[in-house]
Amino acid sequence: MLTSQRRALIAARLANDGQVVAGELAAELNLSEDTIRRDLRDMAAAGLLKRVHGGALPIAPPLPDLEARQTISADVKKRLGRKAAELIRAGQLIFLDGGTTNAEIVRALPREMKVTIATHSPAIATLLAKHRAEVILIGGSLYKHSMVATGAAALAAIGMLRPDIFFLGATAIHTAHGLSTGDYEEAAIKRAIAAQSTETISLLTEEKFGAVSPHHIAGIDEMAGLIVPAGMDPHVLAPYRGQNVQLIEA
C-alpha cells in the first residue's frame, strides 16, 4: 500500500471511528507498527491529527474568538441554554463558565429568580445586570481570547466557593479522552471549578464530538450531564450512553 493510500485510510478512520490504534491498524494492513507510527508522526506534524499514546485522535478545529463564535450555531445554542436554565433552582449557587453558549443560559434564566451566579467571565456578569440574581465576579488575569479570568487570583477565589452546578464550556469531547480545551491556563481554571462543584454539566454543539483539544479538563465519568442538540446522529452519542453520565437533549 502506498504512503498516500495509508494516510488517506488513517484520515478516514479518524473521521468514522474517532481514533486510530497503531497496533491494530498495523496488524490489519500486515505492516510494521513503526510504519504506522511514522505516518501518524508526519500527519501530526502537518496538523492533520493529534498523536496520543498508542495511536491518534482527530484534532479539534481552531477556536474562533468570542465575537466570531456569537454567530456560530446560534439557534442550537439558544436551545441548549434554555434546557440548562431549566435545571437551575432558586437558592442555588451556580458557576457559569465563559462562552457564547453559556451566555444563552443567562438569557433564558427568569430575571426574578433568586439565585447566586458566580462567573469568571465579565461578559456573563454584564448580562446579569438586570437580573435579581446575586452576582459573584471572579477576577484575575484576563485571557482575552475567551474573555475569562485566569491565574492565581482566580484560583484562590474559586477555592472559596462550593457551587451546586458548574456549567462547563469545552472545545472538544471524546469518549476516551474526555473534555478538553485549547489553553493551558484556562483548562486549569475549569478543572478547579469542577473540583469545587457538586455537579458539572457541559453544553455541547455537535461539531465538538469526537475531537480532542490540547489541554484536558475532565473525564466523561466526572460529568453529571451533557446537554446536546436533539436529533444528533445516534452513532455519535452511542458511546456516551454506555457511560455514567446523563445525556440531555435540547
Side-chain angles (χ1 to χ4, degrees):
M1 180 179 282
L2 298 174
T3 299
S4 60
Q5 293 174 315
R6 290 197 311 272
R7 295 182 181 182
L9 176 61
I10 289 169
R13 289 288 172 87
L14 286 171
N16 293 330
D17 300 341
Q19 65 177 354
V20 166
V21 178
E24 292 178 1
L25 186 58
E28 178 184 335
L29 300 180
N30 196 26
L31 296 169
S32 72
E33 194 167 331
D34 284 343
T35 297
I36 300 300
R37 286 176 176 168
R38 184 167 59 251
D39 287 336
L40 299 181
R41 182 175 63 248
D42 291 346
M43 292 177 73
L48 301 175
L49 53 78
K50 178 178 176 61
R51 288 195 70 195
V52 295
H53 180 70
L57 296 168
I59 194 164
L63 186 66
D65 63 24
L66 189 65
E67 184 176 356
R69 296 204 304 274
Q70 291 174 348
T71 62
I72 299 173
S73 304
D75 291 341
V76 174
K77 291 176 180 179
K78 289 181 188 298
R79 298 204 316 265
L80 299 179
R82 286 195 295 266
K83 182 60 69 173
E86 291 174 5
L87 303 178
I88 298 173
R89 299 290 177 262
Q92 288 184 318
L93 170 58
I94 304 297
F95 202 111
L96 291 182
D97 205 345
T100 55
T101 307
N102 277 0
E104 296 300 334
I105 301 176
V106 176
R107 294 188 176 102
L109 197 65
R111 288 192 175 185
E112 293 303 312
M113 179 180 282
K114 289 185 176 181
V115 65
T116 301
I117 305 290
T119 184
H120 59 320
S121 164
I124 294 287
T126 299
L127 290 175
L128 288 159
K130 295 184 179 180
H131 284 248
R132 193 174 181 182
E134 179 182 349
V135 180
I136 300 173
L137 178 58
I138 303 297
S141 300
L142 186 64
Y143 174 47
K144 294 181 180 180
H145 188 274
S146 297
M147 290 300 291
V148 293
T150 62
L155 285 171
I158 289 163
M160 303 298 291
L161 302 176
R162 296 293 184 274
D164 294 291
I165 305 175
F166 170 36
F167 287 104
L168 163 70
T171 59
I173 181 171
H174 189 278
T175 49
H177 297 273
L179 292 94
S180 52
T181 195
D183 182 76
Y184 176 80
E185 295 291 345
E186 190 178 15
I189 291 291
K190 293 174 188 287
R191 289 194 301 270
I193 303 166
Q196 297 294 108
S197 301
T198 302
E199 292 185 338
T200 299
I201 297 173
S202 189
L203 288 64
L204 298 157
T205 47
E206 188 168 359
E207 74 277 0
K208 296 180 179 181
F209 281 81
V212 177
S213 290
H215 304 289
H216 176 77
I217 303 169
I220 303 299
D221 60 348
E222 299 174 70
M223 305 297 296
L226 306 175
I227 302 179
V228 303
M232 275 185 61
D233 184 342
H235 293 96
V236 173
L237 293 179
Y240 301 90
R241 296 193 187 280
Q243 302 196 42
N244 189 29
V245 61
Q246 184 181 11
L247 289 180
I248 306 166
E249 296 190 17

